[in-house]
Amino acid sequence: MLPEVLLRALWLFLPAFVANPTAVLWGGGRPVDMGRVWRDGRRILGDGKTWRGLAGGTLSGLTIGLLQGLVALKVAPDLLAFGSPLEAILVPFLLALGALLGDVAAAFAKRRWGLERGARAPGLDQYDFVAGALVLTALIRPAWVLGNYVVGEVIWGLLLLLLVTPLLHRGVNILGYRLGKKEVPW
Ligand code: CTP
Ligand code: MG
């Protein structure tokens, strides 16, 4: 049924949705690129991508995913579970880490285009983490991504994800800015 498909698509993606804002909360300290510059003379990634952000965001996404697994067992395993016991751990981890690696890849692209840290890159800023999460998960667990987001009516879930992502992204970033956690409201 379509309502269940849509609910499930958003629910399963929570670890990825959680990873970016929590990376902002945890972030700081040593940058992933260690301050090094690329051959164009600009930073490889910039100070906005830190190890603490990567680790904190990944662990936060994983934690949410594990809690979701417990809720699923209690409430409705068929509708809400990530899959096998292994997938209940592996998939949230991959979604969260992938989301942040997508964000890192976007930062790399932005620096190569000469955009400073925090500069806007419409499209990329909103969708980098969705692409990263789905690509990393698909590399390790292709059947999971196909079965939950691609083949059959679940594709509507993917479309809903693409629709709500820019709205969520905007809302969360304005919140982060107001709380003083982000330097720019995007
Ligand atoms: N952050 C972090 N580590 C990450 C991702 C984010 O420490 N892997 C923190 C940084 O403090 C960063 C803030 O979260 O400044 C906001 O994240 P984001 O908007 O992704 O970075 P920007 O500062 O906009 O930098 P960029 O242009 O490189 O995306
Ligand atoms: Mg940014």
Side-chain angles (χ1 to χ4, degrees):
M1 288 300 292
L2 194 56
E4 279 107 81
V5 164
L6 299 180
L7 173 70
R8 184 169 161 79
L10 296 179
W11 169 261
L12 293 180
F13 216 65
L14 268 182
F17 281 136
V18 160
N20 279 279
T22 50
V24 179
L25 296 180
W26 287 104
R30 193 187 291 256
V32 174
D33 67 7
M34 307 286 187
R36 281 174 300 196
V37 297
W38 189 249
R39 45 177 176 262
D40 54 13
R42 298 176 184 277
R43 286 286 294 276
I44 301 176
L45 300 172
D47 286 331
K49 306 298 138 183
T50 67
W51 290 107
R52 264 180 24 209
L54 272 188
T58 303
L59 290 177
S60 301
L62 173 60
T63 303
I64 291 294
L66 296 178
L67 293 176
Q68 287 178 265
L70 295 179
V71 172
L73 284 182
K74 287 256 174 223
V75 179
D78 287 348
L79 178 63
L80 300 179
F82 283 94
S84 67
L86 169 66
E87 283 171 337
I89 301 167
L90 184 61
V91 170
F93 172 76
L94 293 172
L95 286 172
L97 178 62
L100 294 171
L101 292 181
D103 179 54
V104 164
F108 179 78
K110 283 164 73 175
R111 298 303 91 84
R112 303 290 73 73
W113 298 334
L115 294 173
E116 298 297 334
R117 170 189 181 183
R120 244 172 160 149
L124 198 63
D125 281 332
Q126 287 82 358
Y127 289 111
D128 54 7
F129 79 93
V130 179
L134 290 176
V135 168
L136 181 67
T137 308
L139 283 175
I140 312 288
R141 268 292 194 266
W144 189 91
V145 174
L146 291 175
N148 285 298
Y149 285 104
V150 182
V151 180
E153 65 176 352
V154 294
I155 192 83
W156 292 106
L158 180 61
L159 291 177
L160 177 65
L161 210 63
L162 297 178
L163 200 78
V164 303
T165 291
L167 305 174
L168 244 140
H169 188 264
R170 183 97 185 103
V172 167
N173 284 340
I174 290 174
L175 189 68
Y177 175 68
R178 295 235 175 104
L179 292 174
K181 294 290 174 191
K182 267 182 69 76
E183 283 165 27
V184 289
W186 54 79

